[in-house]
Amino acid sequence: MIYIADPNPWLAMYAQPLHTRLTPPTADLQDFLSEYGLTHGLPEKVSLDASIDWQDTLAQALAPLPESLLDTLEKSILGIFFAKGLDASGFTDMVALGDGSNNIGFVIVLDSQAFSQPSANAWASWKENSAFITDPQVQISVEIATPENDHRIQALRFLLLHEFGHILATMTDLCPQDWSFTLPKLAGHFSKLSWQTSGSKAIRPEQNFPHREKISFYRQPALHASQALDLYRDLARTSFPTLYASMDVQEDFAECFATYVHTELLGQPYHMQVTIDGNPVYRSDDFWASARASEKKRYMRNLLEALAHNNASHTFQGLAPFLRMSLNGADLRSHAQSLLVQANQDQENAILWMNLATGFLCLKMRDMGLAIQEQALSLQRLYRRPANCQPPRFRLLMIMTPGDLSENTPIDCLLENSPVELLYYYASVEQPLPSPMPEHDAVMVALSDSQANRALLLAVQASLLDHARPVINPPHLLPNVNRDQLSELLQGISGLDMPRTHRLTRSQVVTRLSMQRPAEATDHNALPSLPLIIRPVGSQAGNDLARITQATELADYLKQVQSTAFFVSRFVDYSSQDGQFRKYRIAMLRGQPFICHMAISSDWMVHYVNAGMYDSADKRAEEGAFMQNFASFAARHQSALAAIYQRLQLDYLCIDCAETKDGKLLVFEIDHIMAVHAMDSASLFPFKAGQIAKLQQAFEQYLYALQPQPLLESA
């Protein structure tokens, strides 16, 4: 325990973003560290280390962690501090008033010298080897990072996850008596999974193994490296993820939490290898994929879901956390059921209802989701998704429309864990802007240009005419992305092909398509001949999209699809020489292109989720190479991309496109409501996060540039 006399300077730390809480406000922590060094008999004085600025590194280490976890940590960690001379990687402790009357929060102290290791894997291997007396014939190595992620940030993140585990343990049956804090109790009975009681050494007999009680890291090892092979083989028969976890129940929980989040949520590796005389003799399995981890895996999954549920009751979540759960295989249905129970217990909580609506819409339970959304909007129409710091660096007011997930720009998926606060206002024709107007730095018109939204767009447009703040994607420009209007705007651009889109009624489809003669190649205004593409007006994501190659197929299609109006266009065979179809998603910010993904499929109708990208390492390797070398693609189509921006004038948009066999940019669709994210498994798609980060950083810098600059005083 770290006892302080005056809590106010420490409590003021909570107003700062977590990654900036790096300097203790009083001398109490240094006094504690000095005493800590003496108590533990450390050879050097333990002192705070301000020689390195860790702020950016810490921000990057925290960025990919789940929002619900970060929200909990923001409210419970007073600071993350660096020191020299700990003779360990770090520790977590509680700060309390000197009279012991009140605990005010946790501090994490990390040894800056531990990060002198050249890489994440080197740090992890150094830590693991500290448990053994060295033997030149025996090498023990640990892999916690793929080659492209083998850097200090990864090491810092893994170490922090371990320390965060100690904090989350206070929300379970493992909370030490003197560490009681205002965090809710979310889960219990972890100790029984490997331990007889909550006592630190009371291990269950079947989990014990020879020499376990001699394990000691960092200082004066009692085990020889020649014993490592037998020790790790014995460990592999237990439910401990690491050797460190087997020391006591608190370290077991912290290591389970760290390795679970690291591998299962963040998609990073964790493997240990023993090499003797230059020959690899043992490599650990994937613990969390093994049968021995089943109980602890269920526990960790439930703990994190409970954390998300607790966060959901008071924080509007938007789409991002639900999409992340879906992509990571989490039990979204159970999460929605839990939200439903909470909402029924707190029926005036609009945030709960809105989060629940998003959950049901993600489960494709559209009618239920929209009904719940209507319930939420009857209570309030303005929702706030917090920034990762307070006060936020930027406040963006999003003008939304009630409806399905595809009705609005999901910008929160791009701006996850960012300094940008998002204010979601669900507009109506009667009240197109919120009243009173919340404090904001810019407005982004996020609603789609569907036929149902035309009146709303006009109302929003009229209300924003004299708005005092910048408007991103002004409403009068949004009709430019409507399919038929877009195809007209993009005609006549050198190096670009977008087949002209014709809007036809159902009767026109029957009379004008089924009986028409092939069009002349020079008649660009003529209806397309077979083969052609047809889809209902207003459909998204390929719903009821079909390629028609003969009249009988058209008749069958019209029997199945009962729409009253359709878009039809010429079909372009854009397959490559290998017969595969390659489709690209490109985001454009003020005319600058950014690659989002590339999908490869044997089907002409390419959707990323069913193109086999998750199953094929070859396809992922090609996508990674393409994204890495996107600059050459952008340069090849520079004039076409520039023309798109010049004709549409939208600040932010996304393009689904391909390349024709003669090298043109083939545009399928342009819209501002497409999803862009970096939520796919980092182990499968290690190249994506860095590419999407470029867009996120550019978008944030674009927003900051919209803020009025302070006037310089004259000398």
Side-chain angles (χ1 to χ4, degrees), residues 262-370:
H262 179 75
T263 59
E264 296 294 296
L265 270 61
L266 302 182
Q268 296 300 305
Y270 188 95
H271 292 290
M272 192 285 309
Q273 181 169 294
V274 178
T275 302
I276 300 178
D277 292 330
N279 299 310
V281 295
Y282 177 81
R283 181 175 172 83
S284 64
D285 61 356
D286 183 350
F287 173 78
W288 290 105
S290 67
R292 61 194 178 101
S294 58
E295 288 185 314
K296 287 182 174 177
K297 187 172 185 177
R298 188 180 306 113
Y299 185 96
M300 285 295 152
R301 183 187 298 122
N302 291 340
L303 173 69
L304 287 165
E305 288 181 0
L307 197 64
H309 297 168
N310 178 69
N311 188 52
S313 66
H314 56 82
T315 303
F316 176 66
Q317 295 181 302
L319 173 62
F322 292 95
L323 180 58
R324 185 176 290 279
M325 287 179 67
S326 178
L327 290 172
N328 290 327
D331 190 351
L332 191 55
R333 187 172 295 275
S334 294
H335 181 53
Q337 289 294 335
S338 176
L339 288 175
L340 181 58
V341 171
Q342 293 180 63
N344 281 316
Q345 293 171 346
D346 189 5
Q347 296 193 13
E348 298 303 308
N349 189 330
I351 292 173
L352 262 176
W353 286 114
M354 188 57 92
N355 289 338
L356 178 61
T358 304
F360 274 96
L361 291 172
C362 285
L363 289 168
K364 301 190 184 303
M365 301 174 67
R366 187 175 186 275
D367 292 343
M368 178 69 77
L370 294 180

Side-chain angles (χ1 to χ4, degrees), residues 140-186:
I140 301 168
S141 59
V142 178
E143 179 192 12
I144 63 170
T146 54
E148 62 272 14
N149 292 318
D150 193 14
H151 44 60
R152 185 172 69 173
I153 295 170
Q154 186 84 324
L156 177 59
R157 183 182 299 128
F158 189 89
L159 177 53
L160 283 171
L161 285 172
H162 177 94
E163 300 305 328
F164 295 161
H166 285 307
I167 294 172
L168 289 192
T170 66
M171 306 170 78
T172 75
D173 62 324
L174 302 182
C175 183
Q177 187 172 2
D178 55 355
W179 270 25
S180 60
F181 194 59
T182 56
L183 293 174
K185 293 296 180 285
L186 297 180

Side-chain angles (χ1 to χ4, degrees), residues 32-140:
F32 174 85
L33 291 175
S34 299
E35 184 65 27
Y36 176 92
L38 294 173
T39 302
H40 289 80
L42 300 182
E44 301 178 11
K45 179 184 177 181
V46 182
S47 59
L48 290 165
D49 183 9
S51 63
I52 300 176
D53 184 0
W54 290 90
Q55 184 168 310
D56 289 343
T57 303
L58 185 55
Q60 293 178 67
L62 296 174
L65 301 184
E67 184 177 344
S68 56
L69 172 61
L70 291 173
D71 182 69
T72 300
L73 299 174
E74 289 272 357
K75 300 171 185 174
S76 56
I77 297 177
L78 292 162
I80 299 172
F81 309 111
F82 291 83
K84 294 186 291 187
L86 285 180
D87 203 24
S89 291
F91 67 82
T92 297
D93 214 331
M94 175 65 76
V95 176
L97 295 184
D99 59 4
S101 62
N102 196 16
N103 295 339
I104 67 169
F106 297 94
V107 294
I108 295 173
V109 181
L110 304 179
D111 194 324
S112 56
Q113 293 168 318
F115 296 99
S116 63
Q117 300 295 327
S119 68
N121 292 333
W123 168 79
S125 299
W126 163 78
K127 173 190 170 185
E128 198 73 13
N129 278 277
S130 73
F132 298 96
I133 300 168
T134 59
D135 183 328
Q137 271 80 44
V138 181
Q139 288 81 44
I140 301 168

Side-chain angles (χ1 to χ4, degrees), residues 447-464:
L447 64 154
S448 68
D449 178 50
S450 65
Q451 187 65 39
N453 288 338
R454 293 298 168 83
L456 180 56
L457 271 175
L458 290 173
V460 171
Q461 179 178 336
S463 298
L464 289 174

Side-chain angles (χ1 to χ4, degrees), residues 611-669:
M613 302 300 294
Y614 298 90
D615 302 321
S616 172
D618 290 341
K619 288 184 177 182
R620 295 195 300 272
E622 182 179 338
E623 182 188 19
F626 177 81
M627 294 183 79
Q628 188 70 30
N629 298 293
F630 175 68
S632 62
F633 178 95
R636 192 160 65 249
H637 299 291
Q638 180 180 8
S639 62
L641 292 169
I644 290 173
Y645 176 61
Q646 291 165 3
R647 297 196 181 188
L648 301 187
Q649 289 296 302
L650 286 169
D651 304 292
Y652 175 76
L653 55 82
C654 293
I655 308 169
D656 277 351
C657 59
E659 281 186 304
T660 63
K661 294 181 178 183
D662 58 355
K664 293 180 181 178
L665 185 71
L666 176 63
V667 174
F668 301 120
E669 182 177 5

Side-chain angles (χ1 to χ4, degrees), residues 194-195 200-201 203 207-209 211-213 215 217 231 235 238-249 251-253 255 296:
S194 298
W195 309 85
S200 62
K201 298 294 182 183
I203 193 169
Q207 297 294 325
N208 210 353
F209 53 93
H211 308 301
R212 184 193 64 84
E213 69 282 354
I215 297 171
F217 283 75
L231 203 65
L235 179 71
T238 72
S239 63
F240 297 117
T242 66
L243 204 61
Y244 203 91
S246 70
M247 294 195 300
D248 62 60
V249 67
E251 301 301 349
D252 184 16
F253 184 93
E255 284 289 277
K296 287 182 174 177

